[in-house]
Amino acid sequence: MAPSCQNRHTSNPHGIRRGKRLCLCNGIFVISRIERTMRKSNVRGRQVDMTHGPLAGKILVFSLPLIASGILQQSFNAVDVAVVGRYCTSQAIAAVGSNGPIISILVNLFLGIAVGANVVIATYLGQRHFEAVKRSVSTVAAVAVASGLILTALGVTLARPILEAMSAPPDVIDLAERYLRIYFCGMPFLMIYNFGSAIMRSVGDTKRPFYSLLVATACNFALDWLFTGALGMGVDGVAWATVIANGVNAAIIILYLVREPEPITLSPRRWSVSRPDLRKMLQIGVPAGLQGMVFSISNIFIQSAINKFGSDAIAGSATALTFEAYCYYIITGFCAAAIAFTGQNYGAGEAARCRRVARICLVYGLVLCGVANWLVIWQAEAVTGLFTSDPAVVRYAMERYHTVLAFQWLAATYEVPGSYMRGLGYSLTPMVLTIFGTCVLRLGWCYVFAGIDNTFHTLLTIYPITWAATGAAVFTAALIVQRRVFNKMKPQPAKP
């Protein structure tokens, strides 16, 4: 005869303080104290239960704050461009607006590592391995600070050489160098925010990082107008405004994390680096980061070709690129959802849900990005007028809208499947395919086709061509990887 049930005190294997467990003798389920804590957080709306229930609504709710956060981050640069466009020259617009590829090439490696951190923490959460989650959070905190300091040193040191390698015009290069050197002083703040928000995304909390960015964006907007509009600091003013705003953003995200419940609370007393967890983050994150770096390298070559058309072409391209970045964040929002939801469901052994996550994220990315692309084109003259009224600059911007932005939705065909593979622990395959599609093909285009027909339109047509080619390759690879992974996955027992 089975012994009677009774509540009893027991030690907690996850290191949480002692408490009661509800134990049913027939072994139906055991609810640990830490799991109840996480469920209470779910009730508060801060976290998302990714392994149970319908997916479409949860993915949309998860992704919308991420999309808004990306738009707000891009607004830092967009507001900078708009303010210098109003108070300074077209050379100042070119100096601020053309630096995106340079910033990306130095930052993307570390942002890739943040993606790796997201996958590792989400997988541990799906496995209910809470002690490993705490180790990973501590590791992420240390890596965030170290990477920010490294980026500051690299940016300050390499700003001028990279600009010279890009053939920056003489009337732009000095202003661009000053902007970059000041901008990179705020890299530790930017890394703290991005790594901290990766921790919060792993549990489904995307709203509070958005609120943090909202405050920082308002701060950046006010300081831009103060430093450049009122005090006449020019390019230096918008750069320092961005640094200060990033500092505010980092402070808010740290405040959130130190108040989080276990296991993702950030405790300064236990900051340390777990080598096994760091190795897992690097295995997933470094290929993702290298992909972003190579992507930026290819854009630098294209930017170098654009620079040869003069400061009007640079300014017009930079203006259009602002809206491309806005729309692209729709895709990256669903990429982040694919990583987080796939990571948790893969950790929980839910193969069918992983497949549904991939399908839903891809459809959302294609449709919503396409709608945003054509809304901008529909109002192209009005949105371009927010930045400049120079007819030559407007002409170049319009050409980029109709050649590049009109087809940007195609990028979802490789970005979302690539993120899905990373959620399954495969990061090298999408990296190799994307490098070939976005770097090798674009470099060949710059040196062959643009050399034959050296026009602005011909140069830009490489974007939709490489998006389509890369999408076909990565989508096919995702189907193969999915089959390989799920064939090895052990079947899950039926749920009571």
Side-chain angles (χ1 to χ4, degrees):
M1 180 176 177
S4 60
C5 287
Q6 58 182 344
N7 289 328
R8 58 187 176 86
H9 289 278
T10 183
S11 60
N12 191 300
H14 302 299
I16 308 302
R17 60 190 176 89
R18 296 171 68 91
K20 292 183 179 180
R21 275 187 169 181
L22 176 62
C23 177
L24 301 184
C25 294
N26 291 329
I28 297 176
F29 62 88
V30 176
I31 302 175
S32 69
R33 190 174 182 84
I34 192 167
E35 287 171 318
R36 290 200 300 271
T37 301
M38 293 185 70
R39 290 182 182 182
K40 290 177 183 177
S41 296
N42 288 339
V43 173
R44 291 196 301 267
R46 293 182 179 179
Q47 299 178 6
V48 176
D49 185 356
M50 302 183 188
T51 57
H52 301 89
L55 285 167
K58 289 182 179 181
I59 288 174
L60 186 62
V61 170
F62 177 94
S63 300
L64 288 178
L66 282 176
I67 295 167
S69 296
I71 291 172
L72 286 177
Q73 279 191 305
Q74 180 60 30
S75 294
F76 277 44
N77 185 256
V79 171
D80 291 351
V81 172
V83 171
V84 297
R86 181 173 294 272
Y87 291 101
C88 305
T89 63
S90 61
Q91 286 79 14
I93 299 176
V96 175
S98 64
N99 278 320
I102 300 176
I103 294 169
S104 295
I105 193 174
L106 295 176
V107 170
N108 273 336
L109 175 62
F110 297 96
L111 293 185
I113 297 172
V115 170
N118 189 352
V119 173
V120 170
I121 295 173
T123 303
Y124 282 146
L125 285 168
Q127 296 170 343
R128 290 294 189 259
H129 193 345
F130 299 116
E131 197 63 39
V133 173
K134 291 192 286 185
R135 288 199 319 264
S136 299
V137 169
S138 298
T139 301
V140 169
V143 171
V145 175
S147 60
L149 296 174
I150 292 171
L151 279 170
T152 296
L154 289 175
V156 171
T157 304
L158 299 178
R160 185 80 181 195
I162 295 177
L163 286 166
E164 290 174 347
M166 290 176 62
S167 305
D171 59 344
V172 172
I173 190 168
D174 290 335
L175 290 173
E177 180 187 3
R178 281 162 50 190
Y179 179 83
L180 274 178
R181 288 184 182 276
I182 297 171
Y183 183 94
F184 272 93
C185 291
M187 276 299 117
F189 303 137
L190 186 61
M191 289 298 103
I192 288 171
Y193 170 78
N194 280 291
F195 277 86
S197 60
I199 295 172
M200 300 178 79
R201 283 199 306 271
S202 65
V203 295
D205 186 357
T206 57
K207 293 180 181 178
R208 287 184 297 163
F210 166 69
Y211 299 149
S212 173
L213 262 177
L214 193 61
V215 174
T217 302
C219 178
N220 181 63
F221 180 80
L223 292 176
D224 271 349
W225 287 96
L226 174 64
F227 292 162
T228 300
L231 301 180
M233 294 174 63
V235 168
D236 291 8
V238 295
W240 282 117
T242 300
V243 171
I244 295 170
N246 280 330
V248 171
N249 201 13
I252 294 173
I253 212 73
I254 289 173
L255 183 63
Y256 283 151
L257 285 171
V258 297
R259 294 182 175 183
E260 276 295 293
E262 295 285 7
I264 65 166
T265 186
L266 181 63
S267 174
R269 292 177 297 178
R270 67 181 187 213
W271 274 26
S272 61
V273 175
S274 167
R275 290 185 180 181
D277 294 328
L278 178 60
R279 189 180 304 113
K280 292 177 183 177
M281 293 176 194
L282 295 178
Q283 286 173 345
I284 297 171
V286 168
L290 289 175
Q291 173 185 315
M293 289 181 67
V294 172
F295 187 84
S296 298
I297 290 171
S298 68
N299 285 338
I300 282 179
F301 278 95
I302 295 176
Q303 185 64 49
S304 299
I306 291 172
N307 290 349
K308 296 176 183 178
F309 290 93
S311 59
D312 288 337
I314 298 172
S317 179
T319 300
L321 188 61
T322 298
F323 295 99
E324 289 174 31
Y326 281 144
C327 295
Y328 212 84
Y329 280 115
I330 296 174
I331 298 175
T332 59
F334 292 109
C335 287
I339 290 172
F341 278 77
T342 301
Q344 281 213 25
N345 283 286
Y346 176 57
E350 298 285 350
R353 288 180 68 84
C354 289
R355 293 188 182 95
R356 289 200 297 274
V357 166
R359 290 195 297 267
I360 292 168
C361 290
L362 181 57
V363 171
Y364 274 144
L366 286 169
V367 173
L368 295 183
C369 183
V371 171
N373 293 157
W374 284 95
L375 283 176
V376 173
I377 293 172
W378 176 45
Q379 294 295 320
E381 292 186 5
V383 297
T384 306
L386 298 173
F387 295 89
T388 181
S389 58
D390 187 323
V393 175
V394 171
R395 179 173 62 83
Y396 280 109
M398 292 294 176
E399 193 158 3
R400 178 149 188 157
Y401 289 141
H402 290 93
T403 308
V404 180
L405 187 66
F407 303 97
Q408 191 187 36
W409 52 271
L410 286 169
T413 59
Y414 71 88
E415 290 285 13
V416 174
S419 297
Y420 175 55
M421 283 190 275
R422 292 189 182 94
L424 295 174
Y426 280 72
S427 194
L428 189 61
T429 301
M431 180 200 78
V432 172
L433 293 175
T434 304
I435 284 176
F436 179 79
T438 61
C439 185
V440 176
L441 292 182
R442 288 181 185 181
L443 293 182
W445 189 269
C446 287
Y447 285 105
V448 178
F449 292 94
I452 296 172
D453 181 13
N454 190 24
T455 64
F456 192 68
H457 173 77
T458 301
L459 177 65
L460 296 179
T461 52
I462 187 55
Y463 282 103
I465 290 172
T466 53
W467 286 333
T470 308
V474 176
F475 184 84
T476 302
L479 294 177
I480 296 171
V481 167
Q482 172 183 266
R483 188 180 304 113
R484 181 183 304 165
V485 169
F486 295 151
N487 284 343
K488 296 178 182 178
M489 184 180 289
K490 296 179 180 180
Q492 292 298 298
K495 295 179 182 179

